[in-house]
Amino acid sequence: MDAESLKQYLADSPPTVVPLAIKPHFEALGEKEKLYAHHISRACFAGTRIVLRQVSPESESIYDFIIALHKHCHGDYSALQKQAGISSDDLNAYLEYAAQFLGNMGNYKSFGDSKFIPRISARKLMELATVSPKILHIYETFKDRIYEDKDVGKMHLGYPDQGHVSTYYPNSPDITKDEITLVSDFLEGKKLLPENTRMRKAGDSYEVLIASAIHDPSANERDLAETEWTLDNGKKVKLVFGDYDKEMAVITAEIEKAKEYAANDTEVKMMEEYAKSFRTGSLEAFKESQRYWIKDKGPEVETDIGFIETYRDPQGIRGEWEGFVAMVNKERTRAFGKLVESAPKLIPLLPWDKSFEKDKFLSPDFTSLEVLTFAGSGIPAGINIPNYDDIRQTLGFKNVSLGNVLNAKAPDEKIPFIKDSDQDVYQKYRDPAFEVQVGLHELLGHGCGKLLQETSPGEFNFDIKNPPISPLTGKPITTYYKPGQTWGSVFGSIAGSYEECRAECVAMALCCDFSVLQIFGFGDGKEDINSEAGDILYAAYLSMARAGIAALEFWDPKSRKWGQAHMQARFSILRTFLNAGVEFCELEWKDDNLEDLSIRLERSKILELGRPAVEEYLKKLHIYKSTADIENARKMYEEITSVEPFYENKVRPAVLRKKQPRKVFVQANTVERDGKVELKEYEGNSKGMIESFADREYV
């Protein structure tokens, strides 16, 4: 790989390592609540090796190497440097890589899915490895895979037959996208949920690996009585239980301990269903846990755990392991409660009629949380789950905003692409603007909308004889979801990014309403673009436009694909701003290499030009989703997110030169002594990150 291309894959130097502050919120819990949080935290982090194996073949060995080196030197890295005979710069390069690796729980960025490689040379890394025979042996298992690959495709996650890496299809380098789709569609027809599965090609058969502590669940414990079928092409499909068996057993045991400290019967039943799911591999049991989770309103300790988000599977259906434990921030939650109460009045402001909206808005539990534990490849700023549409459409969902994640700051953060004249208002209001955006995105964005369905043969959730009139065509709708189809199965690989885009557009449309800004404590509800509420609105639009530019870091010119769902969405919204006309938004520069690239966004035109452009785009996104119109949806979305030569050859290089390291968080651990739980916090640096993982002996 040439030196210029290699630069984008080097580990951040320095990485942005920040502590996730939690102590006062944890200390406010009672002893029973602390024990509940402790055991679920252990269950969350017990899935560390699951995540590592879901990222790349070498990630688990690199993890073992980092932990073994730490234990070898007992955290004294100066002594390790002397023993290995390397320079302080080499040691620092190793520590920076290790922190970024642990922060992403693997050697591919959790936000972007591209590989990052150490800045320490291979020779110096080997010298580190020679401090003990055990560590050298671990090094030998990954030494050929930790650095750059001659094939650039292998530097990105994706379908194996398209030259990328995916361990959702382990030991199957020749498995094709068509084969994956064939088996996925077949099992969808059998109503087997895919989130806790991987898939392996074995000769003339396909093995679907199901995460479970046991290898032989009985027929009544499984979601399907059958475990083997023959496809029309003569190839066999077989269910194989016991994937991640050791990890799932530890997780199950910790969940069962947590059940002893549950606050109420709902939490007890939730824990029972979690344990059943993780022991047997039943996702029907997991869905039942999510039904109880929705009913567990306003708990002191909030948590969810399992195979949740499907962004990193190229097929967009298999979930990555994650789990979180958090404490409620009651003051902030009250503000979000006002938004929940206002939701029935706000949804009608969106650009479609009630035919495309749920018959009744299912008021969710919306809380602001302070995170104790978030195990997985990365920590979001907000969450809206569960992702099962049948539950969302009938029972509802929960929204959480993660306060200490939103507020975590690295010192001296630089903000490229914002004009000097906008820096003061942007720096002052970007955080509250982002909180408004997250609230609207999670609650109303993901929470609104109806899927028009034939729920069972001949049964519909709309009047099939007088179908709703599409606001796009002015004619009755002609497409809808057929029995057995889900949003994810119809929209497939674009589903994740498309839905994030729809939710972002809902937020951008509604934050233009000054009554919404008043709910968050800004202004008196009267429209005034030059007020403090107007500052929030302006900062929100500037943030989205800036994110749309920065998004190009996550687009791969070789595969011509986006590596991150949210960033693909934000690029399309930037394009929407620009398409609204130069009177509203324009990229500006004087230098040929775009070194001075900045956004000119006219504050006075947000309501007149910005909002209508967003709403027109949102209307299409929403109606296509509601009516299962994948053909028009795909055409529109692929067109607006295609990266034209100007963005590829001019803007993207400027973005890469100014890219900002994504934050990685050092999280506390909990320790049980004599029936009481203590919190152990760590320094917000590379050594603190490594120590926090090394202390988790159960991983």
Side-chain angles (χ1 to χ4, degrees), residues 11-256:
D12 294 327
S13 182
T16 306
V17 182
V18 294
L20 200 58
I22 190 60
K23 189 169 186 177
H25 298 281
F26 182 77
E27 296 297 345
L29 296 177
E31 289 304 324
K32 183 179 177 183
E33 292 160 342
K34 287 180 181 178
L35 283 160
Y36 182 69
H38 167 69
H39 287 294
I40 301 176
S41 290
R42 286 172 63 92
C44 293
F45 278 123
T48 295
R49 291 182 183 275
I50 297 175
V51 181
L52 293 166
R53 285 178 218 152
Q54 288 180 315
V55 174
S56 71
E58 63 273 13
S59 282
E60 191 171 8
S61 293
I62 298 172
Y63 176 86
D64 288 335
F65 178 81
I66 292 168
I67 301 303
L69 266 181
H70 180 85
K71 291 183 175 179
H72 173 81
C73 71
H74 304 288
D76 185 347
Y77 284 96
S78 296
L80 180 67
Q81 179 194 332
K82 289 177 184 175
Q83 185 185 359
I86 62 173
S87 70
S88 57
D89 286 347
D90 288 329
L91 177 69
N92 195 48
Y94 162 72
L95 291 172
E96 287 181 347
Y97 175 81
Q100 190 176 341
F101 177 93
L102 295 172
N104 287 274
M105 224 176 265
N107 63 333
Y108 285 72
K109 292 180 181 177
S110 63
F111 204 81
D113 290 348
S114 62
K115 189 175 183 178
F116 57 93
I117 62 175
R119 290 175 182 263
I120 182 174
S121 70
R123 186 168 65 85
K124 295 297 182 182
L125 186 62
M126 188 180 73
E127 288 174 10
L128 262 180
T130 57
V131 297
S132 91
K134 175 188 173 185
I135 295 171
L136 182 60
H137 174 72
I138 297 172
Y139 169 78
E140 293 290 337
T141 65
F142 66 76
K143 66 177 183 180
D144 296 328
R145 302 194 66 145
I146 190 172
Y147 289 96
E148 71 270 25
D149 198 292
K150 292 177 183 177
D151 181 354
V152 177
K154 294 285 195 297
M155 302 293 284
H156 298 265
L157 301 181
Y159 285 109
D161 68 331
Q162 295 178 359
H164 301 304
V165 170
S166 179
T167 45
Y168 286 95
Y169 309 95
N171 306 314
S172 307
D174 61 337
I175 196 168
T176 67
K177 179 181 177 181
D178 287 344
E179 289 176 300
I180 294 167
T181 302
L182 175 71
V183 175
S184 299
D185 288 351
F186 175 78
L187 291 176
E188 182 191 337
K190 295 288 182 183
K191 294 186 166 50
L192 183 77
L193 296 168
E195 284 83 0
N196 67 346
T197 69
R198 296 193 292 172
M199 181 178 157
R200 182 168 63 205
K201 187 175 179 180
D204 284 336
S205 66
Y206 303 102
E207 294 178 343
V208 177
L209 312 178
I210 297 179
S212 63
I214 61 175
H215 288 250
D216 55 349
S218 62
N220 64 346
E221 290 177 312
R222 301 192 300 262
D223 290 341
L224 294 179
E226 301 168 276
T227 59
E228 194 168 330
W229 304 268
T230 301
L231 301 175
D232 291 342
N233 63 8
K235 295 188 176 182
K236 291 187 180 301
V237 175
K238 183 180 180 182
L239 305 184
V240 178
F241 292 84
D243 201 15
Y244 317 121
D245 54 353
K246 181 181 175 184
E247 291 74 25
M248 299 307 291
V250 174
I251 291 164
T252 303
E254 292 293 344
I255 290 293
E256 287 174 340

Side-chain angles (χ1 to χ4, degrees), residues 415-423 538 541-542 545-550 574 578 582 584-591 593-602 646-647 650-651 654-655 657-658:
I415 311 297
F417 314 123
I418 299 294
K419 285 184 172 298
D420 290 344
S421 56
D422 287 330
Q423 283 286 346
Y538 186 43
Y541 267 71
L542 278 175
R546 199 198 79 80
I549 295 174
L574 168 66
L578 295 170
V582 295
F584 173 56
C585 185
E586 189 176 26
L587 302 184
E588 293 186 339
W589 68 92
K590 292 179 181 176
D591 297 342
N593 66 355
L594 273 60
E595 193 64 31
D596 59 343
L597 179 67
S598 66
I599 301 153
R600 179 179 60 76
L601 193 145
E602 296 298 332
F646 168 70
Y647 293 101
K650 289 283 193 178
V651 181
V655 168
R657 287 193 297 272
K658 295 189 175 187

Side-chain angles (χ1 to χ4, degrees), residues 463-482:
D463 186 348
I464 189 64
K465 294 178 181 176
N466 296 288
I469 303 299
S470 167
L472 303 179
T473 65
K475 298 176 182 178
I477 63 135
T478 57
T479 57
Y480 47 85
Y481 293 86
K482 304 297 194 299

Side-chain angles (χ1 to χ4, degrees), residues 386-503:
N387 290 330
Y388 298 105
D389 270 315
D390 57 333
I391 296 179
R392 297 170 68 86
Q393 297 275 326
T394 55
L395 293 179
F397 49 90
K398 278 188 182 181
N399 289 271
V400 296
S401 172
L402 306 181
N404 54 345
V405 176
L406 281 165
N407 294 333
K409 285 284 181 298
D412 305 320
E413 281 188 296
K414 297 174 184 175
I415 311 297
F417 314 123
I418 299 294
K419 285 184 172 298
D420 290 344
S421 56
D422 287 330
Q423 283 286 346
D424 287 347
V425 70
Y426 184 80
Q427 293 280 13
K428 183 175 181 180
Y429 291 107
R430 64 175 175 147
D431 286 350
F434 189 52
E435 188 165 48
V436 171
Q437 185 187 334
V438 168
L440 293 170
H441 173 116
E442 300 296 349
L443 170 65
L444 298 176
H446 290 310
C448 73
K450 179 178 182 178
L451 302 183
L452 301 180
Q453 298 170 302
E454 184 179 2
T455 52
S456 59
E459 298 288 329
F460 299 84
N461 67 351
F462 63 96
D463 186 348
I464 189 64
K465 294 178 181 176
N466 296 288
I469 303 299
S470 167
L472 303 179
T473 65
K475 298 176 182 178
I477 63 135
T478 57
T479 57
Y480 47 85
Y481 293 86
K482 304 297 194 299
Q485 288 185 329
T486 65
W487 147 247
S489 70
V490 172
F491 277 68
S493 60
I494 72 166
S497 180
Y498 189 98
E499 172 60 10
E500 293 305 329
C501 187
R502 194 184 69 88

